[in-house]
Amino acid sequence: MDLLTSILFATVVAGTPLLLVALGELICEKSGMLNLGAEGMMSIGAVAAFVAAFTFESTLMGVASGLVAGALLSLVFAFITVHLMANQVATGLAVAIFGVGLAAFLGKPFEAKVLPSIKPTEIPFLSDLPLVGPVLFGQQWIVYATWVIFAVVVWFLAKTRGGLVLKAVGESPDAANAVGIDVVKVRYLAILFGGAMAGLGGAFLSLFHTPMWAEGMVAGKGWIALALVVFATWLPWRVLLGAYLFGGVMISQLFVQSSPIPVKIPAQFLSALPYIATIVVLVLISRNVKMIRLNSPASLGKPFQKERA
Amino acid sequence: MKNRRMLFQAGLASLALTAAGYLSIAQAQDPLKVGFVYVSPIGDAGWTYQHDLGRKEMEQALGDKVTTSFVESVSEGADAERVIREMAASGHDLIFATSFGYMNYVDRVAKQFPNVKFMHATGYKSGPNFHNYNARFYEGRYLTGVVAGEMTKSDVLGYIAAFPIPEVLQGINAFTLGAQSVNPDIEVRVIWVNSWYDPGKEREAALALIAQGADVITHHTDSTAAVQAAQEKGVYAVGYHSDMSKYGKDAHLTAATHHWGDYYTLAAQKALNENGMAESIWGGIKDGFIDLAPINPVVPQATQDKVAQLKQQIKEGSFHPFTGPVVAQDGKEVLPAGQTMSDQALGQMNYYVKGVSSKMPN
């Protein structure tokens, strides 16, 4: 693999967990629910996936456990915010902190254990293409699965009745309720999907990326994914682009450091870049009110109370 | 009246005496309470693992004269001070703090607990009840550099480093000098991950180095991620702290290993016998602090012999890894030919030697 291919390859790998988590959060936010707990759900997903894969010696069990664990933690969020109508921001932050702590606790006996690494699934002929071959067709299967999930999300939002219902709930839960949509059910499902995707993102880290569990290994990726959704102004294609952009920044930092080219950018600045980019994009789009109105779910963060008949 | 008071006083005095007697007996029978503060999880390889082996060796050697306790994964921040103070307050007699970043916290707590003995690994501060101990890691690094220099085909060696402090720079430079001694064309590339323990980042750094042509990877971080990545990518790796060969059967050439057990035993013994303290020490191969893991059979016998001979010379003191001329990356001579570097100069190392091709972080 030449250098450029290596960088692109590593970029896709680094962007994959961001993409997974951000797609889940996108669906969740489209229903009007702002779940800031991604970091915690990823941590729980990572530890559950590792423990299951280690215990049962099965990657698939690991992936499934990561999904379920993330979803279970998001269920806590769903109950508190949808049923008890608590403040979503505060609850989300609590879930993030709780998840990180619980994961560290549960993972303690598994610290510094390792799993066999998972080989890439190379697609015959295509993976031999120059430059893009290994990048697009020489990845671990989870990367392809992520692209399938992306395609399903795009299709769901743009082409299905379910997508319309989801967006209607996010825009105006009262109106949706009036036409007979079960707002609570839709929001629960959206939150669960978001949790499952965050759990899968965590599973990617502990099973596919570094096949080990270490406390703090999610290392802020959940927060970057949250920033990414806003950066992408709630559009799936921009989420895809943003995930690889942010992943690329994280990777290129390492390549720049070790190269003999004298580039003097502090590594800390590069780590902050995703957030800076998000703020810049927010400032830019807030000058264009129409753009926010178009994409941001109008009821995002607001609790919904069904009127009593 | 008077009698009664005297009686009362006598009673009080005898009570106090008895209590003091009990206390002194209790003290004589009480084992020495020794605490350890670890920066990362113990796991089964790495920096903390080696310190924990040392703790166990000390327990083995001193039996029921000591009891030990430890706290792992203590980050080098305010948490560290809390943990160290808690240990001192809960009756520990001797506390080993095993990471560079604990230094200022140990310093502060040591002043508040003058009766507790504090030992800090890899720092430079000390006090009446606060000594430090360190190992000449660079001696092992030089030897592993010789192995890496012989085994590289691309002449590019990769180095994953934690923080730009003298200890880490000594390692990078010694490794480079060792490799240069057998292969003048080698170039060493360095990536700083700004963490002692971040397996994800260590792995990404290893992959980045491999992608840039490095075919021998080494690391000054705590996890085994670099060795695992090398094994996966079919390049060589030099482990650190522990023998990491089980994480990369084919990749692992050797490792510079640390051994703290004898020193821990000695320090506890001193505290037990004379209520004294072990001196601050910077021990190397000679003192049994540093060794090499078994060398992979793929390394030619001639190289293995050469390494064994160099190791013997370092042990005898007839060879020093930093022997002049030592030339810095910018071409400036930092040590004239024939001289060996003083400990003070080593302790202040803040430059790359020639042969390291990456730029120093600012």
Side-chain angles (χ1 to χ4, degrees), chain A residues 111 117 209 212 255 257-258, chain B residues 192 199 203-204 212 232 358:
Chain A
E111 288 266 13
S117 50
H209 191 41
M212 62 171 8
F255 279 87
Q257 265 201 50
S258 53
Chain B
W192 297 91
R203 179 191 167 81
E204 276 163 8
Q212 291 182 333
E232 256 174 72
S358 307

Side-chain angles (χ1 to χ4, degrees), chain B residues 33-39 42 48 50-59 66-74 83-84 87 92 94-98 102 119 133 260-261 263-265 267-268:
Chain B
K33 258 181 107 173
V34 188
F36 290 80
V37 188
Y38 298 145
V39 71
I42 293 169
T48 294
Q50 294 301 131
H51 282 281
D52 201 57
L53 280 186
R55 178 184 69 85
K56 286 181 183 150
E57 278 175 37
M58 181 235 278
E59 270 188 338
V66 292
T67 59
T68 66
S69 57
F70 61 85
V71 183
E72 46 181 341
S73 301
V74 178
V83 171
I84 296 162
M87 267 194 179
H92 286 81
L94 177 62
I95 295 171
F96 293 99
T98 66
Y102 296 155
M119 302 282 186
Y133 60 104
W260 307 100
Y263 180 71
Y264 285 156
T265 309

Side-chain angles (χ1 to χ4, degrees), chain A residues 161-195:
Chain A
R161 198 186 118 77
L164 275 177
V165 168
L166 178 76
K167 283 184 277 189
V169 168
E171 287 305 317
S172 171
D174 293 319
N177 181 50
V179 297
I181 295 172
D182 188 343
V183 173
V184 168
K185 189 175 126 197
V186 169
R187 288 192 159 179
Y188 255 93
L189 287 173
I191 292 167
L192 275 177
F193 179 75

Side-chain angles (χ1 to χ4, degrees), chain B residues 2-3 5 7 9 11 15 25-26 35-36 46 50 129 173 177 202 240 242 254 263 296 300 303-304 318 322 336 348:
Chain B
K2 209 175 178 187
N3 274 352
R5 193 201 237 158
L7 200 68
Q9 275 176 346
L15 203 74
I25 291 166
F36 290 80
Q50 294 301 131
N129 61 330
N173 290 339
L177 292 175
E202 290 167 44
Y240 194 51
S242 310
T254 181
Y263 180 71
N296 192 319
T303 308
Q304 298 196 30
S318 59
F322 287 96
Q348 291 169 351

Side-chain angles (χ1 to χ4, degrees), chain A residues 1 3 6 14 108 111-112 114-115 117 208-215 219 251 253-255 257-262 264 266-268, chain B residues 41 43-44 72-73 187 189-192 194 197 199-201 203-205 208-209 211-212 223-225 228 232 247 357-360 362:
Chain A
M1 246 192 256
L3 191 58
S6 302
K108 204 82 221 162
E111 288 266 13
V114 287
L115 287 168
S117 50
F208 295 87
H209 191 41
T210 31
M212 62 171 8
W213 159 256
E215 185 183 339
I251 286 304
Q253 198 241 101
L254 299 172
F255 279 87
Q257 265 201 50
S258 53
S259 77
I261 315 157
K264 288 221 163 190
Q268 289 80 357
Chain B
D44 52 5
E72 46 181 341
S73 301
E187 113 179 56
R189 296 191 172 197
V190 184
I191 292 184
W192 297 91
N194 294 309
Y197 187 79
K201 218 165 172 190
R203 179 191 167 81
E204 276 163 8
L209 287 165
Q212 291 182 333
S223 92
T224 53
Q228 286 171 269
E232 256 174 72
Y247 298 96
S357 61
S358 307
K359 292 281 168 268
M360 192 78 132
N362 30 354

